[in-house]
Amino acid sequence: DVVMTQSPLSLPVTLGQPASISCRSTQSLVHTDGNTYLNWFQQRPGQSPRRLIYKVSTRDSGVPDRFSGSGSGTDFTLIISRVEAEDVGVYFCMQGTHWPSYTFGQGTKLEIK
Amino acid sequence: EMRLVESGGAVVQPGGSLRLSCSASGFIFSDYAMHWVRQVPGKGLEWVSLIRWDGSSTFYADAVRGRFIISRDNSKNSLYLQMNSLKHEDTALYYCIKEDYSGYSVDCWGRGTLVTVSS
């Protein structure tokens, strides 16, 4: 199985400052169709997870442009350019390339310093 | 707006059975494959099972294969997970999730339903 490893697992950030979360996979996430199915989700306290980004860098509708994704192969990053109070929650990556078994990162808890 | 609502979670003894349900709305349920994933409190997410849009194929994680059965009723916009021979390690919050159009991502999650296996 593909293992997804996130870091850091805890991320205290000052309001207005950037935040960066890393996600690494044990196998390449490049699909035979040429796409890379790496997704990022946000789970605010008490809420269901919400997808922010799919296919490494495509933002979902309604996601603020302060969220961006990048990376390739086995190494990916989620960046929040300027953290706002509403960004508090857990962020996790998920690979869909090696379908049907999705695998997830452990989650990164973002809090405000 | 797409919505998934799970139900059926409970406290059950080891060796017991439970049936989870997931009610879908806001999208054409019969067009999409659906999954169950679970999360042990304080731990990461684990994929459990998948069923294709028409129920023609099902897939299971090794940890549940032979004990859990996924099914769906497209006429009722509903997804199910029959859980048999439950073990302590099946204790988790179970989420119903919807594949997106690509089939390689998820664009809707439920709130989850809690299953506790305890004597």
Side-chain angles (χ1 to χ4, degrees), chain B residues 78-94:
Chain B
S78 292
L79 175 72
Y80 307 101
L81 186 67
Q82 177 66 42
M83 310 166 68
N84 301 320
S85 303
L86 282 160
K87 305 176 180 179
H88 287 292
E89 51 265 40
D90 295 319
T91 295
L93 185 64
Y94 284 75

PDB file of all heavy atoms in Angstrom, chain B residues 78-94:
ATOM      1  N   SER B  78     -29.192   5.520  -1.286  1.00  0.00           N
ATOM      2  CA  SER B  78     -28.614   5.065  -0.022  1.00  0.00           C
ATOM      3  C   SER B  78     -27.460   4.093  -0.217  1.00  0.00           C
ATOM      4  O   SER B  78     -27.478   3.250  -1.117  1.00  0.00           O
ATOM      5  CB  SER B  78     -29.684   4.406   0.844  1.00  0.00           C
ATOM      6  OG  SER B  78     -30.634   5.354   1.278  1.00  0.00           O
ATOM      7  N   LEU B  79     -26.493   4.220   0.683  1.00  0.00           N
ATOM      8  CA  LEU B  79     -25.311   3.367   0.750  1.00  0.00           C
ATOM      9  C   LEU B  79     -25.335   2.654   2.099  1.00  0.00           C
ATOM     10  O   LEU B  79     -25.790   3.223   3.098  1.00  0.00           O
ATOM     11  CB  LEU B  79     -24.051   4.228   0.640  1.00  0.00           C
ATOM     12  CG  LEU B  79     -22.696   3.547   0.793  1.00  0.00           C
ATOM     13  CD1 LEU B  79     -22.393   2.692  -0.433  1.00  0.00           C
ATOM     14  CD2 LEU B  79     -21.615   4.593   1.007  1.00  0.00           C
ATOM     15  N   TYR B  80     -24.834   1.425   2.117  1.00  0.00           N
ATOM     16  CA  TYR B  80     -24.860   0.641   3.357  1.00  0.00           C
ATOM     17  C   TYR B  80     -23.513  -0.021   3.613  1.00  0.00           C
ATOM     18  O   TYR B  80     -22.726  -0.251   2.688  1.00  0.00           O
ATOM     19  CB  TYR B  80     -25.932  -0.446   3.272  1.00  0.00           C
ATOM     20  CG  TYR B  80     -27.303   0.075   2.905  1.00  0.00           C
ATOM     21  CD1 TYR B  80     -27.790  -0.036   1.605  1.00  0.00           C
ATOM     22  CD2 TYR B  80     -28.103   0.706   3.862  1.00  0.00           C
ATOM     23  CE1 TYR B  80     -29.035   0.456   1.265  1.00  0.00           C
ATOM     24  CE2 TYR B  80     -29.354   1.204   3.526  1.00  0.00           C
ATOM     25  CZ  TYR B  80     -29.805   1.076   2.223  1.00  0.00           C
ATOM     26  OH  TYR B  80     -31.045   1.580   1.880  1.00  0.00           O
ATOM     27  N   LEU B  81     -23.276  -0.333   4.880  1.00  0.00           N
ATOM     28  CA  LEU B  81     -22.118  -1.144   5.244  1.00  0.00           C
ATOM     29  C   LEU B  81     -22.571  -2.127   6.318  1.00  0.00           C
ATOM     30  O   LEU B  81     -22.870  -1.729   7.445  1.00  0.00           O
ATOM     31  CB  LEU B  81     -20.957  -0.290   5.758  1.00  0.00           C
ATOM     32  CG  LEU B  81     -19.655  -1.052   6.016  1.00  0.00           C
ATOM     33  CD1 LEU B  81     -19.062  -1.566   4.696  1.00  0.00           C
ATOM     34  CD2 LEU B  81     -18.642  -0.180   6.749  1.00  0.00           C
ATOM     35  N   GLN B  82     -22.647  -3.396   5.945  1.00  0.00           N
ATOM     36  CA  GLN B  82     -22.969  -4.450   6.901  1.00  0.00           C
ATOM     37  C   GLN B  82     -21.667  -4.915   7.542  1.00  0.00           C
ATOM     38  O   GLN B  82     -20.757  -5.366   6.837  1.00  0.00           O
ATOM     39  CB  GLN B  82     -23.667  -5.625   6.202  1.00  0.00           C
ATOM     40  CG  GLN B  82     -23.981  -6.796   7.098  1.00  0.00           C
ATOM     41  CD  GLN B  82     -25.010  -6.471   8.158  1.00  0.00           C
ATOM     42  OE1 GLN B  82     -26.008  -5.806   7.880  1.00  0.00           O
ATOM     43  NE2 GLN B  82     -24.783  -6.940   9.382  1.00  0.00           N
ATOM     44  N   MET B  83     -21.584  -4.789   8.848  1.00  0.00           N
ATOM     45  CA  MET B  83     -20.353  -5.087   9.573  1.00  0.00           C
ATOM     46  C   MET B  83     -20.611  -6.306  10.461  1.00  0.00           C
ATOM     47  O   MET B  83     -21.449  -6.253  11.368  1.00  0.00           O
ATOM     48  CB  MET B  83     -19.938  -3.887  10.427  1.00  0.00           C
ATOM     49  CG  MET B  83     -19.920  -2.583   9.623  1.00  0.00           C
ATOM     50  SD  MET B  83     -19.827  -1.120  10.668  1.00  0.00           S
ATOM     51  CE  MET B  83     -18.190  -1.296  11.327  1.00  0.00           C
ATOM     52  N   ASN B  84     -19.920  -7.391  10.201  1.00  0.00           N
ATOM     53  CA  ASN B  84     -20.073  -8.627  10.966  1.00  0.00           C
ATOM     54  C   ASN B  84     -18.773  -8.970  11.685  1.00  0.00           C
ATOM     55  O   ASN B  84     -17.714  -8.444  11.353  1.00  0.00           O
ATOM     56  CB  ASN B  84     -20.460  -9.773  10.034  1.00  0.00           C
ATOM     57  CG  ASN B  84     -21.761  -9.513   9.292  1.00  0.00           C
ATOM     58  OD1 ASN B  84     -22.711  -8.973   9.862  1.00  0.00           O
ATOM     59  ND2 ASN B  84     -21.818  -9.903   8.029  1.00  0.00           N
ATOM     60  N   SER B  85     -18.883  -9.861  12.651  1.00  0.00           N
ATOM     61  CA  SER B  85     -17.706 -10.326  13.406  1.00  0.00           C
ATOM     62  C   SER B  85     -16.834  -9.151  13.848  1.00  0.00           C
ATOM     63  O   SER B  85     -15.617  -9.148  13.650  1.00  0.00           O
ATOM     64  CB  SER B  85     -16.884 -11.300  12.554  1.00  0.00           C
ATOM     65  OG  SER B  85     -17.666 -12.384  12.127  1.00  0.00           O
ATOM     66  N   LEU B  86     -17.467  -8.177  14.462  1.00  0.00           N
ATOM     67  CA  LEU B  86     -16.762  -6.945  14.810  1.00  0.00           C
ATOM     68  C   LEU B  86     -15.685  -7.178  15.858  1.00  0.00           C
ATOM     69  O   LEU B  86     -15.842  -8.013  16.770  1.00  0.00           O
ATOM     70  CB  LEU B  86     -17.762  -5.890  15.290  1.00  0.00           C
ATOM     71  CG  LEU B  86     -18.517  -5.206  14.139  1.00  0.00           C
ATOM     72  CD1 LEU B  86     -19.793  -4.554  14.637  1.00  0.00           C
ATOM     73  CD2 LEU B  86     -17.616  -4.202  13.447  1.00  0.00           C
ATOM     74  N   LYS B  87     -14.589  -6.430  15.708  1.00  0.00           N
ATOM     75  CA  LYS B  87     -13.442  -6.529  16.612  1.00  0.00           C
ATOM     76  C   LYS B  87     -13.220  -5.172  17.284  1.00  0.00           C
ATOM     77  O   LYS B  87     -13.667  -4.141  16.789  1.00  0.00           O
ATOM     78  CB  LYS B  87     -12.186  -6.897  15.816  1.00  0.00           C
ATOM     79  CG  LYS B  87     -12.311  -8.150  14.973  1.00  0.00           C
ATOM     80  CD  LYS B  87     -11.050  -8.376  14.151  1.00  0.00           C
ATOM     81  CE  LYS B  87     -11.160  -9.625  13.296  1.00  0.00           C
ATOM     82  NZ  LYS B  87      -9.932  -9.844  12.480  1.00  0.00           N
ATOM     83  N   HIS B  88     -12.480  -5.207  18.390  1.00  0.00           N
ATOM     84  CA  HIS B  88     -12.163  -3.955  19.086  1.00  0.00           C
ATOM     85  C   HIS B  88     -11.548  -2.935  18.120  1.00  0.00           C
ATOM     86  O   HIS B  88     -11.847  -1.754  18.178  1.00  0.00           O
ATOM     87  CB  HIS B  88     -11.187  -4.229  20.231  1.00  0.00           C
ATOM     88  CG  HIS B  88     -11.796  -4.930  21.399  1.00  0.00           C
ATOM     89  ND1 HIS B  88     -12.732  -4.335  22.234  1.00  0.00           N
ATOM     90  CD2 HIS B  88     -11.594  -6.175  21.879  1.00  0.00           C
ATOM     91  CE1 HIS B  88     -13.080  -5.203  23.181  1.00  0.00           C
ATOM     92  NE2 HIS B  88     -12.414  -6.323  22.983  1.00  0.00           N
ATOM     93  N   GLU B  89     -10.692  -3.435  17.234  1.00  0.00           N
ATOM     94  CA  GLU B  89      -9.981  -2.526  16.329  1.00  0.00           C
ATOM     95  C   GLU B  89     -10.866  -1.934  15.234  1.00  0.00           C
ATOM     96  O   GLU B  89     -10.400  -1.104  14.448  1.00  0.00           O
ATOM     97  CB  GLU B  89      -8.768  -3.221  15.700  1.00  0.00           C
ATOM     98  CG  GLU B  89      -9.059  -4.554  15.058  1.00  0.00           C
ATOM     99  CD  GLU B  89      -8.795  -5.728  16.008  1.00  0.00           C
ATOM    100  OE1 GLU B  89      -9.118  -5.619  17.214  1.00  0.00           O
ATOM    101  OE2 GLU B  89      -8.287  -6.768  15.507  1.00  0.00           O
ATOM    102  N   ASP B  90     -12.122  -2.317  15.177  1.00  0.00           N
ATOM    103  CA  ASP B  90     -13.065  -1.688  14.246  1.00  0.00           C
ATOM    104  C   ASP B  90     -13.690  -0.429  14.846  1.00  0.00           C
ATOM    105  O   ASP B  90     -14.432   0.284  14.160  1.00  0.00           O
ATOM    106  CB  ASP B  90     -14.187  -2.662  13.876  1.00  0.00           C
ATOM    107  CG  ASP B  90     -13.689  -3.866  13.098  1.00  0.00           C
ATOM    108  OD1 ASP B  90     -12.822  -3.680  12.214  1.00  0.00           O
ATOM    109  OD2 ASP B  90     -14.151  -4.992  13.386  1.00  0.00           O
ATOM    110  N   THR B  91     -13.397  -0.166  16.115  1.00  0.00           N
ATOM    111  CA  THR B  91     -13.894   1.047  16.749  1.00  0.00           C
ATOM    112  C   THR B  91     -13.371   2.270  16.019  1.00  0.00           C
ATOM    113  O   THR B  91     -12.162   2.452  15.865  1.00  0.00           O
ATOM    114  CB  THR B  91     -13.461   1.098  18.224  1.00  0.00           C
ATOM    115  OG1 THR B  91     -14.090   0.032  18.934  1.00  0.00           O
ATOM    116  CG2 THR B  91     -13.848   2.432  18.855  1.00  0.00           C
ATOM    117  N   ALA B  92     -14.282   3.108  15.525  1.00  0.00           N
ATOM    118  CA  ALA B  92     -13.884   4.270  14.723  1.00  0.00           C
ATOM    119  C   ALA B  92     -15.109   5.091  14.360  1.00  0.00           C
ATOM    120  O   ALA B  92     -16.250   4.648  14.512  1.00  0.00           O
ATOM    121  CB  ALA B  92     -13.179   3.821  13.443  1.00  0.00           C
ATOM    122  N   LEU B  93     -14.833   6.268  13.841  1.00  0.00           N
ATOM    123  CA  LEU B  93     -15.858   7.095  13.216  1.00  0.00           C
ATOM    124  C   LEU B  93     -15.882   6.710  11.740  1.00  0.00           C
ATOM    125  O   LEU B  93     -14.845   6.766  11.066  1.00  0.00           O
ATOM    126  CB  LEU B  93     -15.511   8.572  13.386  1.00  0.00           C
ATOM    127  CG  LEU B  93     -16.528   9.590  12.898  1.00  0.00           C
ATOM    128  CD1 LEU B  93     -17.832   9.495  13.698  1.00  0.00           C
ATOM    129  CD2 LEU B  93     -15.944  11.002  13.009  1.00  0.00           C
ATOM    130  N   TYR B  94     -17.027   6.294  11.255  1.00  0.00           N
ATOM    131  CA  TYR B  94     -17.156   5.822   9.873  1.00  0.00           C
ATOM    132  C   TYR B  94     -17.789   6.914   9.012  1.00  0.00           C
ATOM    133  O   TYR B  94     -18.873   7.415   9.322  1.00  0.00           O
ATOM    134  CB  TYR B  94     -18.004   4.544   9.814  1.00  0.00           C
ATOM    135  CG  TYR B  94     -17.229   3.330  10.279  1.00  0.00           C
ATOM    136  CD1 TYR B  94     -16.979   3.131  11.635  1.00  0.00           C
ATOM    137  CD2 TYR B  94     -16.730   2.396   9.374  1.00  0.00           C
ATOM    138  CE1 TYR B  94     -16.244   2.034  12.075  1.00  0.00           C
ATOM    139  CE2 TYR B  94     -15.999   1.301   9.800  1.00  0.00           C
ATOM    140  CZ  TYR B  94     -15.758   1.129  11.158  1.00  0.00           C
ATOM    141  OH  TYR B  94     -15.031   0.042  11.587  1.00  0.00           O
TER     142      TYR B  94
END
